[in-house]
Amino acid sequence: MIKLSEISTEAPKGLEKKDIKKKTEKLVARLGELHHLMYAEGKYSMLIILQGMDASGKDGAVRNVFRECTIAGLDLVSYKKPTEEELSHDFLWRVHKWVPQKGMTTIFNRSHYEDILIQRVHNWIDMERVEKRMAAINAFEDLIQFDNNTLLFKFYMHISHEEQGIQLQQRLDDPSKYWKHNEGDWKERERWNQYMEAYEYAINKSTTPWHICPVDNRWYRDYFMAKTIVEKLESLDMKLPQLEK
Amino acid sequence: MIKLSEISTEAPKGLEKKDIKKKTEKLVARLGELHHLMYAEGKYSMLIILQGMDASGKDGAVRNVFRECTIAGLDLVSYKKPTEEELSHDFLWRVHKWVPQKGMTTIFNRSHYEDILIQRVHNWIDMERVEKRMAAINAFEDLIQFDNNTLLFKFYMHISHEEQGIQLQQRLDDPSKYWKHNEGDWKERERWNQYMEAYEYAINKSTTPWHICPVDNRWYRDYFMAKTIVEKLESLDMKLPQLEK
């Protein structure tokens, strides 16, 4: 049973930023190689889900961690407010159609979890529907793993309330960041505790485990994510197809 | 626990073909009205799954039962051998993208059940995968019902081995039916008992119940399907949107 308030949002004590950044660089390069191997072999696929509060560094993680990956093998899908057409279907319809085919990697910036997060926090749905949707999510995530060799990574971008305030304020103070400013983010920030409760529910009820990624130090975030993915991919024994003699 | 061999493939004794055909005509007209209401109201959607052996009358049922339905509100998706792209995804990917949006009716001529029928009978997958897929099917069918007001009708087109032989032979004897002839259908017919076993498994493990539709008498097939759907739609109290005064 995970309690988010008991998990640090910062890099573990004793780590040197400079040292970690060097290691991250190697990991990111290695991820590029492994990703190419996955693409060329066409046996596995990979789905990376990024969920977290506003300003928790999802965009930066995409930019930094995957920068050495083969573009042809990488898709990014950002989930915003559902369209009319999406709302006329079940909540998984808009995500299922973008799951990666064999060989491909897809990053979801936000995901189907929004349908039990923002929708729950605003009481657009009741707990009975939250529970049914959670069961549907578990079945869906099972499906893509057992039936399509999909490696599923779910990262909860764990930011502190204080750090979120700093990041949101920077968007007002720094003209180069103003384009990311959204008044609505400050309104959602007022519901912080409700969001934490909704996230804890999602994390604890998931059958596929989450990675809780501390993001207050952005250099540690990148290291954590790259390391998590590389370690899994290294364990797979992927091989480039070879000409049979 | 349903045993297909214990259920008649013929019209119940005592029914008059002429009488039933008259009733079917009324039901089909009523289905047209109710379907229009569903389309106009935009609250429910309807998914009709037709599964059955070759020559069990799926195409004829589509033609006869839905002929009064508003074309704009009706889609037909026929599932054949999966494409390369479909095979590079989980087995539900190609069906989930075509589920009806609110107001719409979609007919699946064959469906995701093929992935635990033909694939099982030919031993392309093992029983462990059949069981996992069955669980995924149940979760998927739950999802579209609870999260999108989808009315789900699953018809097993129950034909006798003898009648199938007659129907397949007609395709060879009648030049107007020759276009439907497919040598492969005769090969599949040799696996009749295995198919029956696979169908019984699918029918008995489904959480959403099936309608076992006797099809040896085509006039009864149409009546059975139209009656089943109309009775459900009549129970819904659908209303045309009205101008609010």
Side-chain angles (χ1 to χ4, degrees):
Chain A
M1 179 78 179
I2 284 170
K3 276 293 279 174
L4 289 172
S5 58
E6 291 167 5
I7 300 173
S8 173
T9 55
E10 294 175 12
K13 297 270 169 275
L15 294 188
E16 284 274 357
K17 178 174 173 179
K18 209 178 117 189
D19 183 40
I20 292 297
K21 282 198 121 180
K22 231 180 239 164
K23 284 185 175 159
T24 302
E25 208 157 312
K26 277 188 193 151
L27 284 166
V28 165
R30 182 64 185 142
L31 178 55
E33 291 168 0
L34 290 162
H35 174 260
H36 175 73
L37 203 51
M38 178 181 291
Y39 176 66
E41 189 185 41
K43 181 176 164 187
Y44 297 96
S45 55
M46 182 156 65
L47 178 61
I48 291 151
I49 292 176
L50 304 183
Q51 277 291 158
M53 298 297 285
D54 296 311
S56 61
K58 298 182 289 295
D59 294 330
V62 172
R63 214 163 36 237
N64 296 352
V65 176
F66 302 94
R67 68 171 184 271
E68 304 274 354
C69 291
T70 305
I71 288 174
L74 187 66
D75 287 318
L76 171 66
V77 186
S78 295
Y79 287 98
K80 321 237 164 176
K81 196 176 159 217
T83 64
E84 276 294 313
E85 191 191 20
E86 288 167 351
L87 285 174
S88 297
H89 289 92
D90 66 89
F91 79 105
L92 289 175
W93 181 77
R94 71 171 183 159
V95 289
H96 202 168
K97 61 176 172 177
W98 294 115
V99 297
Q101 66 176 74
K102 287 198 181 74
M104 294 294 293
T105 296
T106 303
I107 304 169
F108 281 179
N109 187 335
R110 304 190 184 272
S111 68
H112 43 286
Y113 283 97
E114 291 298 327
D115 296 288
I116 56 168
L117 292 165
I118 187 170
Q119 295 218 16
R120 170 181 172 177
V121 166
H122 286 268
N123 291 315
W124 297 332
I125 55 171
D126 59 19
M127 269 314 282
E128 192 195 331
R129 184 162 299 248
V130 170
E131 282 163 21
K132 282 182 169 179
R133 284 186 170 176
M134 189 67 236
I137 289 172
N138 281 331
F140 165 69
E141 291 180 355
D142 278 355
L143 169 68
I144 60 172
Q145 292 177 87
F146 85 74
D147 211 50
N148 206 40
N149 285 345
T150 302
L151 308 170
L152 176 59
F153 296 91
K154 301 190 290 185
F155 291 100
Y156 171 66
M157 311 302 272
H158 191 31
I159 192 170
S160 66
H161 186 254
E162 190 192 352
E163 179 65 21
Q164 190 203 33
I166 294 168
Q167 294 285 340
L168 288 180
Q169 188 58 43
Q170 274 184 9
R171 294 177 177 182
L172 289 166
D173 299 341
D174 180 345
S176 79
K177 292 187 175 171
Y178 179 68
W179 69 279
K180 297 197 92 177
H181 168 69
N182 175 358
E183 202 53 42
D185 294 351
W186 291 94
K187 291 298 286 179
E188 293 305 305
R189 179 170 159 80
E190 290 169 18
R191 300 174 193 261
W192 185 271
N193 291 337
Q194 288 163 273
Y195 270 107
M196 288 307 108
E197 198 187 328
Y199 267 111
E200 278 176 359
Y201 174 91
I203 290 165
N204 285 306
K205 295 286 182 181
S206 280
T207 45
T208 300
W210 285 77
H211 300 281
I212 312 296
C213 179
V215 301
D216 282 2
N217 310 100
R218 301 291 156 120
W219 51 271
Y220 184 70
R221 169 201 68 189
D222 296 345
Y223 172 75
F224 181 97
M225 282 182 57
K227 189 164 178 286
T228 302
I229 300 170
V230 164
E231 278 177 0
K232 176 66 191 173
L233 299 191
E234 293 281 16
S235 75
L236 293 180
D237 192 31
M238 294 185 287
K239 285 187 180 73
L240 283 176
Q242 298 291 322
L243 184 67
E244 287 180 43
K245 309 246 167 131
Chain B
M1 180 77 178
I2 285 169
K3 276 293 278 173
L4 289 173
S5 57
E6 291 166 5
I7 299 173
S8 174
T9 55
E10 294 175 14
K13 297 272 170 267
L15 294 187
E16 284 274 355
K17 178 175 174 180
K18 211 179 116 188
D19 183 41
I20 291 297
K21 283 199 121 179
K22 231 180 240 167
K23 284 184 175 160
T24 302
E25 207 158 310
K26 277 188 193 152
L27 284 165
V28 164
R30 182 65 185 143
L31 177 56
E33 291 167 1
L34 289 161
H35 174 261
H36 176 73
L37 203 53
M38 177 181 290
Y39 176 66
E41 190 186 40
K43 181 175 163 189
Y44 297 96
S45 55
M46 181 156 66
L47 178 61
I48 291 152
I49 293 176
L50 304 184
Q51 278 290 158
M53 298 297 285
D54 296 311
S56 60
K58 300 183 287 297
D59 295 329
V62 171
R63 215 163 36 237
N64 295 351
V65 176
F66 301 95
R67 69 171 184 270
E68 303 275 352
C69 290
T70 305
I71 288 174
L74 186 67
D75 288 320
L76 171 67
V77 186
S78 294
Y79 288 98
K80 321 235 166 181
K81 197 177 157 213
T83 64
E84 276 295 313
E85 191 190 21
E86 288 167 351
L87 285 174
S88 298
H89 289 91
D90 67 87
F91 79 105
L92 288 176
W93 181 78
R94 70 171 182 159
V95 289
H96 202 169
K97 62 176 170 176
W98 293 115
V99 296
Q101 68 176 72
K102 287 198 181 73
M104 293 294 292
T105 296
T106 303
I107 304 168
F108 282 180
N109 187 336
R110 304 189 183 272
S111 68
H112 43 286
Y113 283 97
E114 291 297 327
D115 296 289
I116 55 168
L117 291 166
I118 187 169
Q119 296 217 14
R120 171 180 172 179
V121 165
H122 286 268
N123 291 313
W124 298 331
I125 55 172
D126 60 19
M127 269 314 283
E128 193 195 331
R129 184 160 299 248
V130 170
E131 282 163 21
K132 284 182 169 178
R133 284 186 170 176
M134 189 68 236
I137 288 172
N138 281 331
F140 165 69
E141 292 180 353
D142 278 356
L143 168 68
I144 59 172
Q145 292 178 87
F146 86 74
D147 211 51
N148 206 39
N149 285 346
T150 303
L151 308 170
L152 176 60
F153 296 89
K154 303 190 289 184
F155 291 100
Y156 170 66
M157 312 301 271
H158 191 31
I159 193 171
S160 65
H161 187 254
E162 190 193 351
E163 180 64 22
Q164 191 203 33
I166 294 168
Q167 294 285 341
L168 289 180
Q169 188 59 42
Q170 275 184 9
R171 294 176 177 182
L172 289 167
D173 299 340
D174 178 347
S176 78
K177 291 187 175 170
Y178 180 69
W179 69 279
K180 298 198 90 176
H181 168 69
N182 176 357
E183 202 54 42
D185 294 349
W186 291 93
K187 292 298 286 178
E188 293 304 306
R189 179 171 160 79
E190 291 169 17
R191 300 176 193 260
W192 184 272
N193 291 336
Q194 289 163 273
Y195 271 107
M196 288 306 107
E197 199 187 327
Y199 267 111
E200 276 176 0
Y201 174 91
I203 290 166
N204 286 305
K205 296 286 183 182
S206 280
T207 46
T208 300
W210 286 76
H211 300 280
I212 312 297
C213 179
V215 300
D216 282 3
N217 309 98
R218 302 290 155 120
W219 50 272
Y220 184 71
R221 169 201 69 191
D222 296 345
Y223 172 75
F224 181 97
M225 284 184 56
K227 189 165 178 284
T228 302
I229 300 170
V230 165
E231 278 177 359
K232 177 66 190 172
L233 298 191
E234 292 281 17
S235 75
L236 293 179
D237 193 32
M238 295 186 287
K239 285 187 182 70
L240 283 175
Q242 297 293 321
L243 182 68
E244 286 181 42
K245 310 250 166 132

